[in-house]
Amino acid sequence: AQSVSQHNHHVILSEAASLELGCNYSYGGTVNLFWYVQYPGQHLQLLLKYFSGDPLVKGIKGFEAEFIKSKFSFNLRKPSVQWSDTAEYFCAVTKNTGFQKLVFGTGTRLLVSP
Amino acid sequence: NAGVTQTPKFQVLKTGQSMTLQCAQDMNHEYMSWYRQDPGMGLRLIHYSVGAGITDQGEVPNGYNVSRSTTEDFPLRLLSAAPSQTSVYFCASNLQGTPYTGELFFGEGSRLTVL
């Protein structure tokens, strides 16, 4: 079965620090990859997605992610975080062939201190 | 458009009680799903539907029942609530019959406590 690993459960950064959140998945075939964000008290929103093409994907609010097929990874990055980036971030994966369920990682809580 | 609407937002049940969490979307989305969110476990898929009349089980279906009689509605039923079902429940939908080609749109969640 597919699985998604997010090794950083809690991350604390100061404003202007750089961010990188790890995401690894277990499925060996072609996949579609997503990062979702959940701000405090809100529902999940799509941050960015990768289906094919350029492995460096740019999303909203200055976030980007890089797909490295050989490492089964899809790490999320932001050069300079802001206090408003405090949220929980979820990586999600689904197969690209046929109908499959979207599988989420366990999430990473990011706290950005002003 | 209202998007994905879930009711109720909060509910407290006693063990053994039954209830239905409602989910409605007004975007004509074919795909709808229910997830539960628990601390340290992320989101886990309970049930999903690729269209009216079609449902299937996700990762954690036990104790839950669903039906899809219309495109718009996808209720989640707890037949006999247990404390292990204390969680935040999210309904999500997608335009196409499969979730992987586009964005999942989430409702605001329903926080359920079972005593």
Side-chain angles (χ1 to χ4, degrees), chain B residues 3-72:
Chain B
V4 180
T5 304
Q6 290 182 235
T7 56
K9 288 187 169 43
F10 301 94
Q11 183 72 48
V12 179
L13 290 177
K14 293 181 180 177
T15 297
Q17 287 185 315
S18 63
M19 78 155 300
T20 300
L21 297 177
Q22 302 289 347
C23 177
Q25 53 88 11
D26 60 359
M27 298 174 283
N28 202 30
H29 284 178
E30 296 176 18
Y31 177 86
M32 296 185 74
S33 57
W34 278 101
Y35 286 86
R36 59 178 289 175
Q37 183 181 22
D38 302 292
M41 304 191 75
L43 282 88
R44 293 179 293 169
L45 182 64
I46 305 171
H47 285 287
Y48 64 94
S49 168
V50 299
I54 306 168
T55 63
D56 206 346
Q57 296 180 350
E59 302 169 75
V60 289
N62 292 341
Y64 306 96
N65 199 5
V66 293
S67 59
R68 185 91 180 270
S69 56
T70 66
T71 301
E72 295 79 18

Side-chain angles (χ1 to χ4, degrees), chain A residues 2-6 23-25 34-38 44-47 88-94 101-108, chain B residues 31 33-37 40-46 59 90 92 99 103-106:
Chain A
Q2 299 168 233
S3 69
V4 180
S5 299
Q6 292 182 244
C23 173
N24 290 90
Y25 62 94
F34 305 80
W35 276 98
Y36 281 82
V37 60
Q38 186 177 30
L44 279 82
Q45 306 169 42
L46 183 67
L47 205 52
E88 191 161 15
Y89 294 81
F90 294 92
C91 182
V93 177
T94 189
K101 307 150 193 174
L102 188 61
V103 177
F104 284 84
T106 54
T108 298
Chain B
Y31 177 86
S33 57
W34 278 101
Y35 286 86
R36 59 178 289 175
Q37 183 181 22
M41 304 191 75
L43 282 88
R44 293 179 293 169
L45 182 64
I46 305 171
E59 302 169 75
F90 287 97
E103 174 181 355
L104 269 186
F105 292 84
F106 283 85

Side-chain angles (χ1 to χ4, degrees), chain A residues 38-44, chain B residues 90 108-109 111:
Chain A
Q38 186 177 30
Y39 298 104
Q42 296 187 27
H43 58 90
L44 279 82
Chain B
F90 287 97
E108 294 190 349
R111 186 176 291 275

